[in-house]
Structure formats: C-alpha cells, structure tokens
DNA sequence: TTGTAAGCGTTATCAA
DNA sequence: TTGATAACGCTTACAA
C-alpha cells in the first residue's frame, strides 16, 4: 500500500509551506496565480488527494450524509436512494447507507454509528417497529434531519412524503367509477403515518360516495405477499364478502390476487384490485396491477435538496424553518381494475 | 445544534486527563476499573460519541468502506449491497455507496471521492463502459479492493463471482433436456467478463450436445427489456429461426417473451426461454421465467468477508494473497421452459 | 495507575 | 503574497 501524498509533500517539492499549498487549493484570494498553478500541477503529478478526515476535523465538515432506510433491497427505497445519492454526490457529499430492518433497535444503533462518523445530516425513513421518537428528537438537536416517506408528524424535521390520503381517495374513486361498490382495504400498520393516512383516505372516500364503512372490511398487516393472500382469504370467508380490494402495497395486492385466482374469482370481471407503490413487477404480472405511483426517485431528489437547503442555512448561520413537502401521487390504471 | 461532547469534557467533569479517558474507552490494560466505569457513566450521561474523524485521522482508520455499483436501483446490486452493509456494519464499518451509472468517467470520479473520504477499502462491480483498468490498478496500490460480479481478470484484486460459464451450460442443458434443439443466445456485451463467459458456456454446451454454433443465433446487447424484444424479432425473422432462447438477463428474456406473445408463438410449447439473474418479477410474470439464480445477497456477504479478511491481514502486517471465489449458480425451473 | 506531550493532515489567523 | 503557528479531537509512547 502506497503512503498517501499530503500537502506537506507538495510544499517540500516546491519549496513553499503547507499553508501556501492549502490556500492554493481553496482558491484563496491572497495567493499568486503562479504558485497556485504550480501547486495544482505537482498535486496532479504525485496523485495528491485531499484528506477529508483531516479537513473535516479542522473545519467541522465531514462531507458525509447518513441515510437510514428499512431495507435497501425494497425497490422503493433503492430508487429513492438512487435519487439521494445522485443529488448529494453532485454537491460533493458522500452518502452512508444503513438499514434499520424495520427494527427500532437497529434504527437507534444506526443513528449512533452515523453520529460517530460525524455525518453533517441524516435522511431517514422510519422503521415499522418505531413507535416513539426520542432518538430522532435527540438527533435533530445535533444535525439537520430530513424524513421521507415514513415520517413522524410534528417532530420539527423537514419531511417529504406523498399525499397518502389523496392516493387512497384516488384509488377508491377509480374503483367506484368502475362499478365496484363493496370495497375492502388491506393496509399497513396505522402506527406509520403513511399507512394511517391511506386508511383515513379510504374511509373518507367511501363516505363521499355514500358507501358504508364496514370495520370487517379493513385490515392491517405487514406489507408482504403472504399477508395479502391470508387476509384476502379472510375477506372472502365473510358472509357478505367485498368485490374489490384497495391494498396499501402492491405486494399485498399481489397476494390478494393469488388468493382470488385460487378461489376461481375472476379479476377484474368479478373483483377489482388496486395496489400502491408501482413496484416493477406490477406491470409484468398477469393480470397487471392497477396502482398508485409514489414518484420514488423524485422523492429522494427532493429530500436531498431539502437537506442541502438546511445545510446551506446552517452554514450561513440563518434560522431554518422546517418544511413539509407533499407530492401528489398518480393513478396508473392496469388490468386488475379495468372492466 | 448542540455542540458535541468530547473526551476533554468528560475529563474535566471527572478531574482527570483526556488520555485517561481515552484509555478507558479503548479497554487499555493500564487503567483502573474504577475510572473506567466512571468514564463510561459520564459518557452515557452527557451523550458522548467518539469522533471517528479525529480517531481516524490519528490512527489511519476511517472505519469507512466504499462501494461502487453501476446503479443501486437494479435488484441484483441492491440485494448485494444489503449483504455488504449488514456484514460490514457488524464489524463497525460504515458503508459509502456510490453509482457509476455504467460510465467509466463516473467510476473514476467515484474512486477519487472515496479516496478523499479515506475509505479503508473499496468494493466494486464494474461499469459496462469500463474497458481499461488503470484507475483500479492505481486504487489497488492504495487500499484493499474486492471486485464482485463484474470484475477484471488478473488485476490482482480479490474477486467474488458466480460461475457464469457453468450457469450458461446449466441453462443450455436444461433446454436440450426439454427437447429444444435450435437454441439462440441474447447476451450482454462480451467486454464484461460475466457476459463473455456466458457466451462461452453457451457455445461449449452446444458443442457438447453436438449442436451447431450458428453466429446468427448469437447477439450482444444492453440487458434491458426493449433490446430483448428487438433481438427476438430479428431472430424470428431469420429464414431458419430458433425454437429457444437463453438470455443473459431476465430483462432480455422478458422482452423476448413479449415479442413471442405478440407473434403468437406459444411459450413454452413452441418456444423455450431461460433467463439469468432471478429478478423478483420473474416468478410473477406469465409465463413465469425459468432462470439462473446468482445468490446476490450471498455474493455481497462473501465479498464483504473477503474485504474484512484483507483488512485483517493488512492490520497484522501480513502479506495478503488475492483470491478468487466462485459461486455455483442454480437453475430455477419455471413455466417458460416447462413443456 | 495516571499524566505529559507529540502528532495525524488540514486550515484560519495573524505576522512578516 | 507567503510563512509561522495553533487548533480540530483523539491516541500512544513515555514519564511520573
């Protein structure tokens, strides 16, 4: 392993001092063009790279941003991270990615790890198991925080979400227009605000259309295929079963469709299904799944921009007022509801 | 923003010196149990977190590992990163994720950014556009490097790959067993060794079964759905078209199946298709796609372990001999080839 | 067992 | 325009 070149090496080579070299790199006004170009040239020659640890220690900027997501292998988070990484890299930041596995304890541990690394800010989407916000309240006192998709309300951090309430009403409206009148909902746990709002939007949309809200038509579960399948079975076993499902995730919708197929119920003719998230597979399965798109990459980009804004304000010593950005979700009509 | 606590704060509070505090944290033998527990207690009280920038600068360990992948939104890489992150986090490392967008220039830029951040090692999967290895050769002289999935051969870095050659022969054997005799291949570009080996395995397997190698049956393309669709069309337009396709990616297979459907050719009855990668959608589409599983998460785990080994050797001042680990791919039989 | 002091590489302040 | 110096927070010989 080659020892890394430092500004001292450059200084020695040119017979000047480290401080002059430093000025050359930072485009300091009080340095001659001649030495500046000489420094840049030898830096290039000997393959010098600024040591971010040292400069970070000196001026309190690690150029690191931490990201905590439940799991990176979920398409939504992977895509959001893509947007985050690209936006922050352009501004010279490196992005540390960590996973909470939807566990409160892991989330706490990851926050500590990120603080140790001296990240300048943290972007996070909450673990399902996270019911209390103390760890984030503490975090907000240390660095700028941007929460996206799965957030706390009123915690004082900037947030970027989609309008889950509106997404649910769009889905229900669509099903009603297609003539489905007995609509059930398979939701995620209401402790997560995104899922809670989908439930609220679902209920309010039913009322708007004069449809009754039946508690036996509303379930909460982990958003995976098996749960969707299991709950669809329960719904079909009711004495008066529904004829449509609005699921809070495409995985739940997929599981529900699997059950419907097994029980010989035709989708969309006899039964309509709308999912949520626009997973890549949803356009590929048969029947393809009508869904609500969340603009996942855009959400990452906007969250990252919000982080950059906060960092900017902080650097200028100005007060930053946290802001909530809410994206409008988009209905994508496919086969599972097109009768 | 609250100012962060340092070991000096702890030292002052306890009327001891920073060096004693440091020893307490590092479990130094020459420190009393009493002061150690006192230090730990006040650290807890005032919410002290070790500054990794400072300790990293002091002892040359940033506790950072850099990862470069073509794009994090591809399921394979997202899943591999999941394995990498979990393995390295357990050992106290933070993982910086960057994307090359399959571009050589971006890959170079990301390497520089990671070196600036003083990463202790770099794990990478090569960009499609990367044809030369100079940037990685330089990198290997600076920090341990582990290449996974898309690698250079004989560059002196440890690698973790699957046996692409074997994967291709398994796929062809399966198609032959199912009675498909005119097998075409839609591959990725042969500049990437993984794709090149699939082509080689494909050809050799044909020979093994006494089938002729017809160059008009072999194509190279970017591994996406549209290319699969386009090339399948070309293949079907041949005067003597194939009756099976082994595609080097599930996306290519998906595109091919789309074309076959459009042209009224029954899969699998008239035409067999085998993909590669076991994408999440492949089990969900209709017909579901027979494919080769790459053990993506396991590959991430093994690559991370290989990195940890190298770091260990380096720390102990021992020489490390780079090693190549090759995973055996696994055939997953589904509808697209089951006649 | 604890304290002293130097140093990791960079940058900001001040002096030359 | 350049140089000397101190400091960021932590670690580690070495001295006490």
């Amino acid at each position: 392993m080659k020892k890394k070149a430092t500004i001292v090496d450059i200084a020695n080579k040119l017979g000047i001092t480290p401080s002059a070299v430093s000025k050359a790199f930072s485009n300091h006004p009080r340095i001659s063009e001649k030495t500046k170009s000489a420094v840049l040239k030898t830096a290039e020659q000997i393959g010098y790279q600024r040591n971010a640890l040292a400069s970070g220690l000196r001026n309190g900027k690690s150029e690191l941003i931490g990201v905590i997501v439940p799991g990176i292998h979920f398409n939504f988070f992977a895509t959001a991270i893509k947007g985050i990484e690209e936006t922050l890299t352009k501004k010279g930041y490196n992005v540390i990615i960590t996973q909470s596995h939807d566990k409160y304890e892991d989330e706490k541990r990851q926050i500590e790890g990120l603080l140790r690394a001296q990240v300048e800010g943290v972007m996070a989407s909450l673990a399902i198991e996270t019911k209390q916000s103390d760890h984030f309240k503490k975090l907000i006192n240390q660095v700028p925080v941007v929460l996206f998709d799965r957030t706390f309300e009123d915690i004082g951090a900037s947030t970027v979400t989609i309008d889950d309430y509106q997404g649910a009403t769009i889905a229900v409206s669509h099903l009603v227009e297609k003539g489905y009148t007995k609509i059930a909902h398979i939701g995620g746990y209401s402790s997560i605000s995104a899922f809670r709002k989908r439930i609220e939007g679902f209920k309010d949309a039913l009322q708007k259309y004069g449809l009754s809200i039946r508690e036996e038509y509303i379930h909460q579960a982990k958003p995976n295929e098996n749960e969707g399948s299991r709950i669809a079975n329960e719904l079909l076993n009711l004495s008066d079963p529904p004829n449509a499902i609005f699921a809070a995730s495409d995985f739940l919708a997929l599981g529900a469709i699997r059950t419907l197929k097994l029980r010989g119920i035709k989708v969309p003719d006899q039964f309509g299904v709308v999912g949520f998230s626009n997973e890549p597979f949803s356009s590929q399965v048969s029947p393809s799944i009508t869904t609500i798109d969340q603009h996942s990459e855009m959400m990452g980009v906007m969250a990252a921009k919000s982080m950059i804004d906060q960092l900017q304000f902080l650097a200028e010593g100005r007060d930053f007022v946290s802001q909530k950005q809410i994206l409008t979700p988009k209905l994508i009509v496919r086969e599972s509801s097109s009768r």
Side-chain angles (χ1 to χ4, degrees), chain A:
Chain A
M1 300 291 129
K2 214 165 51 185
K3 202 160 98 276
K4 281 158 189 160
T6 72
I7 55 171
V8 179
D9 297 327
I10 299 178
N12 289 342
K13 205 151 225 150
L14 293 173
I16 58 179
T17 63
S19 92
V21 176
S22 176
K23 279 170 198 148
F25 284 126
S26 55
N27 247 329
H28 198 96
R30 305 232 155 285
I31 191 85
S32 71
E33 278 303 324
K34 204 178 62 190
T35 36
K36 199 190 289 183
S37 62
V39 165
L40 262 28
K41 206 179 107 199
T42 42
E44 176 72 37
Q45 275 173 10
I46 66 176
Y48 167 80
Q49 292 274 12
R50 179 171 56 87
N51 183 328
L53 252 44
S55 63
L57 176 61
R58 173 59 229 241
N59 59 21
K61 313 215 140 299
S62 64
E63 300 171 346
L64 256 25
I65 302 288
V67 175
I68 309 174
V69 292
I72 191 183
H73 58 297
F74 298 118
N75 178 260
F76 172 79
F77 293 117
T79 312
I81 289 172
K82 174 179 154 73
I84 291 172
E85 197 271 339
E86 283 164 16
T87 308
L88 291 178
T89 292
K90 271 185 210 146
K91 296 283 177 181
Y93 290 97
N94 278 314
V95 180
I96 298 180
I97 310 280
T98 65
Q99 305 180 85
S100 68
H101 306 106
D102 271 327
K103 298 213 178 74
Y104 168 73
E105 285 301 331
D106 281 19
E107 196 170 81
K108 249 176 102 169
R109 231 193 311 278
Q110 300 293 17
I111 287 177
E112 281 167 15
L114 292 175
L115 285 176
R116 237 181 290 126
Q118 306 298 113
V119 292
E120 294 185 42
V122 173
M123 312 185 51
S125 198
L126 298 179
I128 286 184
E129 288 186 7
T130 295
K131 318 277 181 190
Q132 49 157 259
S133 59
D134 306 32
H135 53 324
F136 273 100
K137 279 186 188 141
K138 252 187 256 167
L139 180 63
I140 289 172
N141 288 325
Q142 314 238 36
V143 294
V145 173
V146 175
L147 262 21
F148 64 97
D149 190 51
R150 298 206 208 143
T151 69
F152 291 116
E153 289 163 8
D154 310 321
I155 196 183
S158 286
T159 59
V160 181
T161 51
I162 55 151
D163 191 335
D164 288 278
Y165 179 95
Q166 194 183 352
T169 61
I170 291 170
V172 171
S173 298
H174 170 69
L175 285 168
V176 170
E177 278 165 21
K178 291 293 179 178
Y180 303 101
T181 49
K182 292 156 68 178
I183 307 173
H185 178 55
I186 310 181
Y189 292 115
S190 57
S191 51
I192 299 293
S193 78
F195 289 129
R196 182 167 64 253
K197 286 179 180 168
R198 289 176 205 172
I199 296 172
E200 287 167 9
F202 169 75
K203 288 181 178 174
D204 289 0
L206 287 186
Q207 277 191 316
K208 181 181 145 198
Y209 287 103
L211 301 171
S212 59
I213 297 170
R214 305 171 56 164
E215 285 305 327
E216 72 272 24
Y217 276 12
I218 302 176
H219 284 74
Q220 292 182 23
K222 283 197 180 175
N224 64 44
E225 194 178 339
N226 285 337
E227 286 291 276
S229 178
R230 181 180 67 76
I231 292 172
N233 243 320
E234 284 185 21
L235 288 168
L236 293 174
N237 287 342
L238 292 172
S239 56
D240 183 18
N243 63 4
I245 289 174
F246 162 51
S249 132
D250 282 355
F251 286 96
L252 289 168
L254 184 67
I257 288 173
R258 170 159 301 176
T259 291
L260 290 162
K261 275 187 186 168
L262 283 173
R263 299 182 57 146
I265 298 169
K266 297 259 178 276
V267 177
D269 295 341
Q270 299 169 268
F271 204 106
V273 177
V274 174
F276 210 110
S277 287
N278 194 18
E279 297 288 339
F281 67 79
S282 300
S283 60
Q284 312 296 345
V285 292
S286 180
S288 58
I289 302 173
T290 296
T291 190
I292 304 289
D293 184 72
Q294 299 186 93
H295 312 290
S296 41
E297 184 169 353
M298 179 57 64
M299 196 181 287
V301 170
M302 292 185 68
K305 282 189 173 163
S306 177
M307 173 57 70
I308 290 166
D309 286 349
Q310 279 193 57
L311 260 9
Q312 182 84 29
F313 269 75
L314 194 67
E316 293 168 356
R318 287 188 287 158
D319 272 356
F320 183 81
V321 181
S322 71
Q323 43 181 232
K324 304 201 182 309
Q325 295 182 76
I326 302 172
L327 306 184
T328 300
K330 188 175 147 201
L331 177 73
I332 297 179
V333 179
R334 298 207 183 96
E335 291 166 359
S336 67
S337 67
S338 296
R339 71 176 180 188

